[in-house]
Amino acid sequence: MEKIRKAKETIGRVILGKDEVVELLFVSIIADGHALLESVPGSGKTKLAKSFAKVMDGHFSRIQFTPDVLPSDVTGIQFFNPKNQEFELREGPVMTNVLLADEINRATPKTQSSLLEVMEEKQTTVDGETLKIAPPLFVIATQNPVEGNHGTFPLPEAQLDRFLFKIDMGYPTEQEEKNILRTYQKNEPFETLTPQISLEEILYIREQSKDIAIADDTMNYLLDLVRLTRESEDIELGVSTRGALAFMRASQARALLLGNDFVRPEDVKFLAPYVLEHRIVLSMEGSIRKTKSQVIQEVIQEVPVPVEAGSVQ
């Protein structure tokens, strides 16, 4: 895990005060998931995504979504080359290792849906030809929640379910913001970033995470949280089985990154808001009285945390 630690420290020199967010991104890629960053403009979402990609020794692509971006601009296109009188494949930006989908909620639903196959199946289809994407593929999407419905298209539940985490960047504290201003007063730290971990190492760690043990009590705790999202009066649509599986993978990944050989209940509790909140749909009455965040916090508080008994044999 030394390479991961160095990579996190390197990003921390550029993105100050967001250690928890950086940790969640590494958990996401180790768990073979994707992350959705949401916050007000100017909070560092795009720079964080670019910094994360830069510390990995892989290929990086970026799509700046606008309403006029077409699905073929994402997946690729067959075009006629007049020089040799033949059709040729022009690969889209999804053929990469780290894809930054910037302001994804500004794309039309048709264009958003072009990412579904890519994110879930790790492949794309161009004019009937299926192209496999070499692992790892990690999609970091950003969206601005304050734009309302002016030129934006909210992501449907099927698309949101493809993201392992939804992370709110939030504002920095006063001291963190002062540190940011001092750091960027004369220099641009982003330019000094260098790769710290290879793609092969990421894939190796990913395979290791699958061997992290989960005790029955911890697994039951995870499932109780998921089931309560389906039974709450405030929730119309609860977390799916795919969401439960993603929850488990994320818990294993975090345990490994913390140097543990088994998942602790605290790993599950820590990750719950990031995994569950964007996967639920509130009922009409629930949405009037509460936010999704409040409902998920109530779910977490209602389910007792099991006493940690130690490692699984």
Side-chain angles (χ1 to χ4, degrees):
M1 298 303 110
E2 181 65 17
K3 291 289 187 73
I4 296 276
R5 185 188 65 79
K6 288 184 177 179
K8 289 164 65 176
E9 289 179 355
T10 301
I11 295 175
R13 295 199 296 266
V14 178
I15 307 297
L16 284 72
K18 299 297 180 185
D19 294 346
E20 186 173 292
V21 177
V22 173
E23 177 186 332
L24 287 168
L25 290 184
F26 276 104
V27 170
S28 186
I29 192 170
I30 296 304
D32 196 12
H34 310 285
L36 177 62
L37 303 180
E38 181 176 273
S39 191
V40 296
S43 56
K45 300 185 296 296
T46 300
K47 179 156 285 188
L48 171 59
K50 292 171 66 177
S51 299
F52 185 86
K54 203 168 181 181
V55 299
M56 288 177 51
D57 191 15
H59 189 260
F60 170 71
S61 294
R62 175 181 179 179
I63 307 173
Q64 180 63 57
F65 281 107
T66 57
D68 59 348
V69 172
L70 301 174
S72 59
D73 296 325
V74 176
T75 60
I77 192 172
Q78 292 275 5
F79 74 101
F80 184 73
N81 190 334
K83 290 184 178 180
N84 54 21
Q85 297 293 300
E86 293 181 352
F87 281 95
E88 296 181 2
L89 174 65
R90 178 179 295 159
E91 293 182 348
V94 295
M95 304 298 293
T96 189
N97 300 120
V98 179
L99 173 64
L100 172 57
D102 221 353
E103 297 185 284
I104 190 173
N105 57 329
R106 296 187 64 199
T108 62
K110 187 175 183 179
T111 301
Q112 290 175 5
S113 66
S114 65
L115 277 176
L116 286 175
E117 180 185 19
V118 174
M119 295 171 67
E120 186 69 18
E121 305 296 334
K122 307 300 190 296
Q123 65 181 32
T124 184
T125 303
V126 180
D127 291 339
E129 181 179 352
T130 299
L131 306 174
K132 293 288 185 180
I133 300 175
L137 170 65
F138 184 39
V139 176
I140 305 176
T142 71
Q143 68 176 8
N144 173 11
V146 301
E147 289 182 342
N149 295 321
H150 301 292
T152 61
F153 304 87
L155 295 175
E157 280 68 36
Q159 181 85 14
L160 285 171
D161 201 31
R162 262 66 175 187
F163 289 100
L164 176 58
F165 297 139
K166 181 182 177 184
I167 307 169
D168 186 350
M169 293 280 288
Y171 284 113
T173 65
E174 182 178 354
Q175 185 58 49
E176 288 171 348
E177 197 155 25
K178 183 177 181 180
N179 292 339
I180 292 171
L181 297 182
R182 289 298 186 191
T183 300
Y184 283 83
Q185 184 176 356
K186 294 182 179 180
N187 302 306
E188 173 51 77
F190 177 77
E191 301 300 329
T192 66
L193 290 181
T194 55
Q196 300 294 322
I197 187 167
S198 69
L199 300 180
E200 290 75 19
E201 288 168 325
I202 289 288
L203 294 175
Y204 176 72
I205 296 172
R206 178 179 292 176
E207 288 303 310
Q208 281 187 312
S209 72
K210 297 176 182 178
D211 294 327
I212 298 297
I214 308 179
D216 281 345
D217 285 349
T218 305
M219 184 71 83
N220 290 338
Y221 173 55
L222 184 152
L223 289 172
D224 286 344
L225 290 170
V226 170
R227 289 197 181 96
L228 193 53
T229 67
R230 303 168 186 169
E231 299 168 359
S232 171
E233 295 179 354
D234 296 316
I235 300 175
E236 180 178 338
L237 181 65
V239 176
S240 67
T241 302
R242 176 168 54 195
L245 179 59
F247 199 178
M248 181 190 71
R249 294 291 189 207
S251 300
Q252 290 177 296
R254 184 173 192 261
L256 179 65
L257 293 183
L258 292 179
N260 300 320
D261 58 3
F262 66 100
V263 176
R264 300 166 57 235
E266 284 302 317
D267 296 321
V268 176
K269 183 176 181 180
F270 172 80
L271 294 173
Y274 304 104
V275 177
L276 304 180
E277 184 178 321
H278 63 288
R279 288 185 161 90
I280 64 171
V281 177
L282 297 183
S283 64
M284 184 175 296
E285 291 184 1
S287 62
I288 293 173
R289 295 183 289 110
K290 303 171 185 175
T291 65
K292 284 187 176 183
S293 179
Q294 290 172 331
V295 171
I296 290 299
Q297 286 302 322
E298 289 179 359
V299 167
I300 294 172
Q301 292 171 9
E302 188 170 338
V303 180
V305 181
V307 177
E308 186 175 317
S311 167
V312 179
Q313 299 297 324

